[in-house]
Amino acid sequence: MRRVVLTIGAAIGFLAVNIGMTACGADIPPAPKASTYAPAADLVKAVDDYIAGIADILESQEDFKDLQAKVIKDAETIAVLALVLGLHDENTPYKAAAPALIKAARELSAAAAKDYASAKKALGALEAAKSSVGDPNGLKWEKVASLKELMEQVPLVNSRLKRNMRRFERQAEVTAVDSAVIAAIAQGSMANLDETNKPENAEQWFQFCAAMRDAAAQINKAAKAKDAAGAEKAVTALAKTCDDCHAVFHPEALGKTE
């Protein structure tokens, strides 16, 4: 299998609108513009890398057998990244393609859970969706991915973030993309309140998601400014938000893996 370096990690994010949307009976609080926590260019890079990584796996049925769970997880992540790009305040070609990308990514996730042939066919549809032109105005705040899959993606991305802090200058671009994806996952996960083990704790869930989003956004800003000290501080803050959340919403309920 040819090697593809995946420069992204877990995530989803949505551009806030001026009204709250309901998650398990609770109104999701308005969020800042997506550009302030997940720049569109970083998310476009993430989508492209995820699709390339899945294509790499699907070159071989044996690779698929070993990495089937990864294909599912990455497809779920693509769905939420496409949603934030569709609702983003910055324009990219994936804004118009977002409706088709979301649909195709969800179909790939379901197909990958079945068999290799189904996954291969669904990948072709996802790749074609990149150049589609739809109406992103029809998109709205809603759950488009599994919380379990998203939360299993986060520690993978976070581990890469920590490793790349040792070579911060050289890996600043990778760090920016990874942090944008974590910020997007954090913001978008607000819509997955019903999948937590304590859906009655809506306010705490929203607060934890926002804190995670904001810490990741600070890493992104520091990476773009080549501010190593600022990035280190933000990485520490990000870890604390995860620990704080897991103290209330247990890791096993969120699908967290070490």
Side-chain angles (χ1 to χ4, degrees), residues 12-247:
I12 175 179
F14 301 110
L15 173 63
V17 291
N18 293 326
I19 57 173
M21 297 299 290
T22 300
C24 202
D27 286 341
I28 298 173
K33 290 182 177 180
S35 59
T36 66
Y37 61 85
D42 292 335
L43 297 181
V44 167
K45 180 70 165 66
V47 168
D48 287 344
D49 286 347
Y50 268 128
I51 292 176
I54 292 172
D56 186 56
I57 292 170
L58 291 178
E59 285 185 350
S60 160
Q61 190 163 359
E62 283 302 308
D63 289 337
F64 173 73
K65 186 186 302 182
D66 293 336
L67 298 169
Q68 184 176 13
K70 177 174 173 54
V71 173
I72 295 169
K73 189 177 2 277
D74 290 356
E76 295 279 331
T77 303
I78 291 168
V80 294
L81 295 178
L83 182 56
V84 71
L85 283 167
L87 294 171
H88 215 286
D89 54 307
E90 296 176 331
N91 222 358
T92 71
Y94 287 173
K95 190 176 184 74
L101 282 169
I102 294 166
K103 181 176 182 292
R106 295 294 297 156
E107 290 176 350
L108 174 57
S109 176
K114 295 178 182 177
D115 54 53
Y116 176 71
S118 298
K120 191 84 170 175
K121 181 179 179 180
L123 172 63
L126 178 60
E127 290 174 327
K130 291 172 61 176
S131 57
S132 66
V133 178
D135 182 9
N137 291 321
L139 298 177
K140 61 182 180 179
W141 281 83
E142 62 183 348
K143 180 171 60 177
V144 296
S146 158
L147 181 63
K148 176 181 179 294
E149 300 297 340
L150 295 177
M151 291 298 102
E152 286 182 351
Q153 191 76 270
V154 169
L156 300 177
V157 183
N158 196 35
S159 293
R160 186 165 56 243
L161 273 174
K162 292 177 179 177
R163 288 196 305 271
N164 286 335
M165 289 306 298
R166 296 195 293 268
R167 43 189 183 276
F168 180 74
E169 289 288 336
R170 286 188 298 161
Q171 297 297 327
E173 182 179 345
V174 175
T175 296
V177 173
D178 282 342
S179 57
V181 173
I182 289 183
I185 287 175
Q187 176 59 37
S189 293
M190 291 186 187
N192 295 74
L193 172 64
D194 64 313
E195 292 182 67
T196 70
N197 62 325
K198 295 182 180 178
E200 69 277 10
N201 289 16
E203 185 174 352
Q204 278 187 299
W205 177 249
F206 296 151
Q207 289 174 348
F208 288 140
C209 289
M212 180 182 174
R213 175 200 68 208
D214 294 346
Q218 288 305 309
I219 298 173
N220 184 272
K221 291 178 174 63
K224 292 182 182 301
K226 303 295 178 67
D227 176 8
E232 286 281 5
K233 182 178 179 181
V235 166
T236 299
L238 177 61
K240 185 177 186 304
T241 68
C242 293
D243 291 342
D244 290 346
C245 182
H246 296 153

